[in-house]
Amino acid sequence: LYLYFVASHKGVPVDWLGMLRQPAMYHLWFVYMIIGLYLLLPFLQAIFESICDKPTLSLYFIVVWVVITCLPLYFPIPLLGIMQQTTFLGYGGYFIIGGLFVTCLKDNIPTAFWVGLYLASSVVTFLLTWNFSDKAGAPSEAAYVYFTLNVAIATLAAFKAFIRVK
């Protein structure tokens, strides 16, 4: 629909197959990511169901996801490249960890803690952005990458806080 809207305003024909080569528009990248997650949903669900009732395995999953997907963005781990492990499920990891946070990992941590963790992670993101931009002499959005540890922590903390609100 967006392709049709843009093409009609520009007076050009709609390239329907073009959206199979690249996102219809750059800001709609997430639609393709969500389609990918839905295509992988049976696989992701099998992983989730097999680790949900096993707290140690759930924690192991989270740690491996963080080490392989998040940490190398700030702290390169050459061994991961040698092992050919440069990402671990990507957004599918967020998907599974979100499910674990909602249904399997019960805690008595107050909502205020999760809000505070979100705010602290957001401040860290701000400070990292300022530092990276200052060093580069130009704006840098490296700290806003969706898989950086600060963004992952902020995302999961906000998610945990939101699911607590009745």
Side-chain angles (χ1 to χ4, degrees):
L1 291 175
Y2 194 82
L3 270 177
Y4 178 75
F5 176 77
V6 170
S8 67
H9 278 76
K10 289 184 176 180
V12 297
V14 179
D15 180 15
W16 294 108
L17 294 178
M19 68 180 147
L20 299 177
R21 290 185 296 275
Q22 65 184 20
M25 292 299 275
Y26 71 93
H27 66 283
L28 297 177
W29 67 269
F30 67 93
V31 173
Y32 295 84
M33 180 268 298
I34 291 171
I35 292 169
L37 284 176
Y38 282 135
L39 289 173
L40 294 175
L41 190 56
F43 175 67
L44 297 172
Q45 183 177 3
I47 294 172
F48 171 77
E49 289 175 355
S50 68
I51 67 174
C52 185
D53 60 347
K54 300 175 183 87
T56 304
L57 194 54
S58 296
L59 180 60
Y60 177 74
F61 177 89
I62 293 169
V63 168
V64 169
W65 184 79
V66 166
V67 168
I68 294 176
T69 306
C70 300
L71 288 184
L73 295 173
Y74 289 137
F75 311 103
I77 305 171
L79 181 60
L80 293 176
I82 295 168
M83 293 169 44
Q84 302 298 310
Q85 302 300 316
T86 54
T87 187
F88 180 59
L89 294 179
Y91 288 103
Y94 269 125
F95 203 76
I96 292 170
I97 294 169
L100 292 172
F101 269 42
V102 171
T103 58
C104 307
L105 301 176
K106 304 299 181 194
D107 64 60
N108 295 325
I109 300 171
T111 304
F113 169 82
W114 296 110
V115 171
L117 185 59
Y118 167 76
L119 293 172
S121 298
S122 297
V123 168
V124 167
T125 302
F126 167 78
L127 292 173
L128 286 170
T129 300
W130 174 68
N131 185 30
F132 294 158
S133 298
D134 187 50
K135 284 183 179 179
S140 171
E141 296 181 358
Y144 283 93
V145 173
Y146 298 126
F147 294 117
T148 56
L149 189 56
N150 49 292
V151 170
I153 290 170
T155 300
L156 294 169
F159 182 67
K160 190 69 172 179
F162 281 129
I163 63 175
R164 293 271 181 98
V165 175
K166 302 286 183 205

